[in-house]
Amino acid sequence: MRPDILHPLFTEIEALKGVGPALARPLGRLGLAKVRDLLFHLPTGWIDRKTVTELDEADVGQIVTTVVTPTDYRFGGSARAPARVVAMDAADNTVALVFFGGGSGYAKKLLPLGEPRAISGKLERYDQWLQIVHPEVMAPDEAKALPEREAVYPLSEGLTGKRLAALIQTAEERMPDLPEWIEPSLLARHGWPDWRDAVTRIHADPSERIVRERLAYDELFANQLALMLVRASSRRRRGNPLVGDGRLRDALKLPYSPTGAQARSMREIEGDLAQSAPMLRLLQGDVGAGKTLVALMAMLVAVEAGAQAAMLAPTEILARQHYDTLSRQLAGLPVNIAVLTGRDKGRAREATMMGLADGSIHILVGTHAIFQEAVAYRHLGLVVIDEQHRFGVAQRMLLTQKAERPPHLLAMTATPIPRTLTLSQYGEMDVSRLDERPPGRQPIETRVISEERLGEVVDGLGRHLAAGGQAYWVCPLVEENEASDLAAAESRAIMLKARFGETVGLIHGRMKGPEKDQVMEAFSTGRLGVLVATTVIEVGVDVPNSTLMIIEHADRFGLAQLHQLRGRVGRGEGRSVCILLRGGQLGETARARLALLRESNDGFRIAEEDLRLRGAGEILGTRQSGEAAFRLASPEQVQALIEVASDDARLLVDRDGGLEGPRGQAARIALYLFERDAAVGLLHSG
C-alpha cells in the first residue's frame, strides 16, 4: 500500500484550485494526471530576461524587459493583417510591437496610446525597425515580479507556459519532506541536494546540472532496485531443475555446426535449467544470428528431462513459421510438436488441448492463445518468448502460472541493445549474446542513393523481379502520425502497382492481425513480388527470395531500426542489397548513421552508436517496441549513472537490510514515488 506521506503527490490534478475539465484536457495530453506528474514535468530549457531602461541594437536576439509608451497604431486593411503598435522607450528609441491574429481591438485594449506599459519579449530587427512580436504586456510595477530566468516547458494546445508554471508552483507547496534513500557517502561525493530541494530548484533554474542529475539518479535507482528485488524474489521461488541426457540433441541433424556464440549460450542456458531457481535469461542476437536453434536446444533439454516447453510468438504468421521450422528440424525424432493460435478451432484445437493435458505434446508453439485459461499443461518446464518486448508483463505472468512451479524463462530479442540499456531494462535477467553470424549468412550490401534517382531505383526493382527475386519497399516515417505514414505507403503502392501490377502488396499498422497475416503469407510463399510496408514488417518472417530492400527517407529512421529492417533481407543465396533513399541535404548526424550502415553489419556496434547519436528513446523504434523511456533521466544520464544506481541498489539489498532496514524504508517510498512498486509485484515472471 502506498505510504501515507506520498498521498499529497498522488492527488488527482483536478483537485488543484482552478483546474476544471477544460484545463484538465491539455494537461492530460501531456500525461499530467496527478500532482506528482506536474513536479516531474521538467523544463526543457529556459529564457533569460534582461531588464533595460532603453532599447539597444546590441540586445537584438535577447529577451528584454523595459517600459515603453505607445505613440501610434498601424493596422493593415484586413483582419488577417498583423497589428503594429509603435512605442517609445525612456530615451525616445522607437520599437514596433507586433500582434498576429488578435485584431486591432485587442492591440488597442492592451496598449492604449500615451499610457506607459512594461513589455517583455525577444528584441528583433525587421527592415529599419526594432520590433518585438507578441510581447508580454503589463503595468510598469508588475514587471518587477518577472523572474530573471524562466523555465520553458513542453506545452499542449490550450495551456500556456505561465499557467503551467503556476500549477507547478501549487504542486510544489504540497511536497512533503521525504527520507533520504541514497547511500550517504554517494550523496556527499556527488554533492546532490535532498529530493525536495532538487525538485524546487530544477523548476526555478533549469540550468542547474547537479539538480537534474540528482532527479535522474532517483529514477534510475528506483528502477534498478525494483529489478533487483524481482530477481531476488524469483531466485527464492523453487522451480523444477531440468537436466537432459543429450539423447535428443545428439540426434539432431544440423546443416552446420553451431557458432562459438551459440555454443556458449547453450552452455549458459543448460547450466540455468539445471538449477532449482527458475531461469531468467535474455538471449540477444542480431536478425539471423541463430536464436531459434539455441531455443530449440533449450526446449529439447526440457523434453529430455520429462517436461514440456512452450514457445510464444507475437503474431500468428511468425508462430506458424516457427512451427514449420522446428518441425523440419525435429523430423524423425520422438518429439511431438504442436501449434496453437486463435485461428485453431474445433477438433484440431481439442486434440491439441488433450495432448498438452496428458503430456503427449512435448513442445507447443503459438500466440497468446497458448496461455488462455482453458489451456492446461501436464508439466510445463520451460517458456521461450520470441521478441519479448512485444508482450506485456501481465501476459507473461499468465503463461508462467500454467505450471505448479514457476517454469524457466528464456526471452529472445532480435534488437541488439546497448549494455547500459540492457542493464536498465532487463536488470533482473542474465544476458546471453549471439555476436557471430552463422555460416552461409552473407553480409548485406548497403547503398545510399538520393531520392532524386527514384526512377533508376524502380527500374532496378523491375530487373530484380524479372530475375525471380522479391523485394521489400519500406515507406518513410513522415512524422509521429499513423495516418500520414499510411498515406505515404498507399501512395507508393499505387505507383508501383501501376508499373508492376498485382504482384505488389501493402501492409501497415492499421490492418487487423488476420489481414496482415494474409499479406505476409502471400509474400512469404512468393505470390507477391513486392511488399510495400510502413515499419510494421513482421520480425523473423523468413522470405528467402527477398534479397532487395528499398527504404525511403532513410535519414529519418534510427540507426538500429534501419539495421533491423535491412535484416529482413539477406537470407537467400547470393548477393543481398539494401538501398537507403535519402532526401535533401543530410545533417551531420544522419550522414554519420548512413555511413556506419554502409560499412558495418554488426548490430551491437550499431546499437551502441545509435545510443550515442540519437538517444535511448529512439534506440528500439519506440513506436514498435513499446519500451517506455525514462521520464527524468536523459540517455546521457542513463549511460553515466546506471551502473552507479545498480551498485547502490545492490548495496541496499546485500548490506543495508533490503527494504526492512532504515534506508530500505526510505527506498520503499522511492519505489512508490516512481511507480516501480507495481513492477515489483508484476515482474516475477521476468
Side-chain angles (χ1 to χ4, degrees), residues 511-577:
M511 294 167 66
K512 296 188 183 302
E515 189 181 1
K516 280 198 291 185
D517 287 348
Q518 287 178 5
V519 176
M520 286 301 301
E521 188 173 15
F523 187 56
S524 62
T525 56
R527 298 198 306 276
L528 290 177
V530 182
L531 183 67
V532 179
T534 52
T535 55
V536 298
I537 298 172
E538 296 301 346
V539 173
V541 175
D542 195 355
V543 185
N545 289 328
S546 60
T547 55
L548 173 64
M549 174 175 283
I550 298 152
I551 304 177
E552 292 193 55
H553 279 291
D555 42 302
R556 301 190 184 186
F557 287 91
L559 206 162
Q561 191 178 24
L562 282 173
H563 174 67
Q564 192 173 16
L565 283 171
R566 75 174 174 179
R568 304 273 63 78
V569 303
R571 297 195 174 207
E573 296 181 1
R575 188 180 65 167
S576 296
V577 178

Side-chain angles (χ1 to χ4, degrees), residues 280-343:
L280 284 173
R281 185 167 288 276
L282 176 70
L283 179 63
Q284 282 186 275
D286 231 335
V287 174
K291 294 183 299 298
T292 304
L293 176 60
V294 175
L296 173 59
M297 290 295 198
M299 290 189 287
L300 288 180
V301 171
V303 177
E304 290 169 0
Q308 295 165 295
M311 186 175 195
L312 181 60
T315 64
E316 182 162 323
I317 188 169
L318 187 50
R320 294 190 180 279
Q321 180 161 313
H322 275 318
Y323 171 73
D324 292 340
T325 300
L326 295 174
S327 295
R328 288 195 301 271
Q329 291 174 322
L330 293 170
L333 272 64
V335 177
N336 191 6
I337 181 171
V339 62
L340 183 65
T341 70
R343 187 189 298 177

Side-chain angles (χ1 to χ4, degrees), residues 32-103:
L32 307 179
K34 298 179 177 66
V35 169
R36 187 209 65 153
D37 299 330
L38 285 169
L39 300 176
F40 287 173
H41 192 65
L42 300 188
T44 53
W46 63 90
I47 58 173
D48 288 322
R49 297 179 187 274
K50 182 179 181 181
T51 300
V52 298
T53 55
E54 59 182 270
L55 299 170
D56 192 307
E57 188 82 31
D59 292 326
V60 168
Q62 295 190 59
I63 306 291
V64 298
T65 302
T66 193
V67 175
V68 298
T69 302
T71 59
D72 191 17
Y73 299 132
R74 299 189 180 181
F75 304 140
S78 69
R80 303 179 69 176
R84 288 183 170 84
V85 179
V86 179
M88 302 185 75
D89 65 14
D92 292 338
N93 296 309
T94 301
V95 63
L97 310 177
V98 184
F99 300 88
F100 293 94

Side-chain angles (χ1 to χ4, degrees), residues 148-163:
E148 290 185 4
R149 175 163 287 175
E150 183 176 336
V152 175
Y153 296 96
L155 297 174
S156 177
E157 186 178 354
L159 180 67
T160 64
K162 185 178 290 188
R163 187 73 182 95

Side-chain angles (χ1 to χ4, degrees), residues 330-606:
L330 293 170
L333 272 64
V335 177
N336 191 6
I337 181 171
V339 62
L340 183 65
T341 70
R343 187 189 298 177
D344 297 298
K345 308 291 183 187
R347 291 184 179 178
R349 181 182 178 83
E350 289 176 13
T352 300
M353 304 277 274
M354 289 176 61
L356 293 172
D358 65 23
S360 59
I361 290 178
H362 304 111
I363 296 176
L364 180 67
V365 181
T367 57
H368 64 279
I370 71 176
F371 52 66
Q372 290 175 347
E373 191 173 339
V375 181
Y377 298 81
R378 179 178 175 84
H379 181 193
L380 180 59
L382 170 65
V383 174
V384 178
I385 298 179
D386 192 19
E387 290 309 316
Q388 94 89 30
H389 64 264
R390 303 278 287 272
F391 294 95
V393 170
Q395 291 173 308
R396 303 204 303 271
M397 283 187 68
L398 283 173
L399 189 54
T400 59
Q401 290 167 1
K402 291 296 180 183
E404 289 184 16
R405 289 187 177 181
H408 297 274
L409 177 68
L410 177 64
M412 304 194 299
T413 177
T415 304
I417 306 170
R419 185 175 181 276
T420 51
L421 296 188
T422 302
L423 184 61
S424 65
Q425 293 168 3
Y426 302 104
E428 84 282 19
M429 287 182 154
D430 296 306
V431 178
S432 294
R433 277 190 167 191
L434 297 181
D435 49 12
E436 298 177 51
R437 297 175 71 87
R441 285 283 291 175
Q442 300 298 317
I444 301 165
E445 180 183 335
T446 302
R447 304 175 188 170
V448 179
I449 298 176
S450 169
E451 289 183 358
E452 295 174 356
R453 298 173 60 190
L454 181 64
E456 296 175 41
V457 172
V458 173
D459 289 342
L461 172 62
R463 292 190 294 272
H464 179 75
L465 296 175
Q470 292 173 277
Y472 292 99
W473 190 298
V474 182
C475 281
L477 190 70
V478 178
E479 57 187 66
E480 292 293 319
N481 184 316
E482 281 190 8
S484 60
D485 293 349
L486 174 56
E490 288 180 327
S491 174
R492 183 60 69 217
I494 290 171
M495 184 272 277
L496 292 174
K497 279 185 178 180
R499 172 78 177 266
F500 302 115
E502 293 305 311
T503 191
V504 177
L506 172 66
I507 189 171
H508 55 78
R510 292 191 174 184
M511 294 167 66
K512 296 188 183 302
E515 189 181 1
K516 280 198 291 185
D517 287 348
Q518 287 178 5
V519 176
M520 286 301 301
E521 188 173 15
F523 187 56
S524 62
T525 56
R527 298 198 306 276
L528 290 177
V530 182
L531 183 67
V532 179
T534 52
T535 55
V536 298
I537 298 172
E538 296 301 346
V539 173
V541 175
D542 195 355
V543 185
N545 289 328
S546 60
T547 55
L548 173 64
M549 174 175 283
I550 298 152
I551 304 177
E552 292 193 55
H553 279 291
D555 42 302
R556 301 190 184 186
F557 287 91
L559 206 162
Q561 191 178 24
L562 282 173
H563 174 67
Q564 192 173 16
L565 283 171
R566 75 174 174 179
R568 304 273 63 78
V569 303
R571 297 195 174 207
E573 296 181 1
R575 188 180 65 167
S576 296
V577 178
C578 179
I579 294 175
L580 306 176
L581 291 172
R582 62 167 181 82
Q585 294 296 314
L586 290 183
E588 189 172 326
T589 299
R591 186 179 297 109
R593 290 202 316 273
L594 298 183
L596 181 60
L597 277 177
R598 281 201 306 269
E599 68 184 53
S600 177
N601 281 274
D602 182 345
F604 290 102
R605 178 190 172 196
I606 286 169

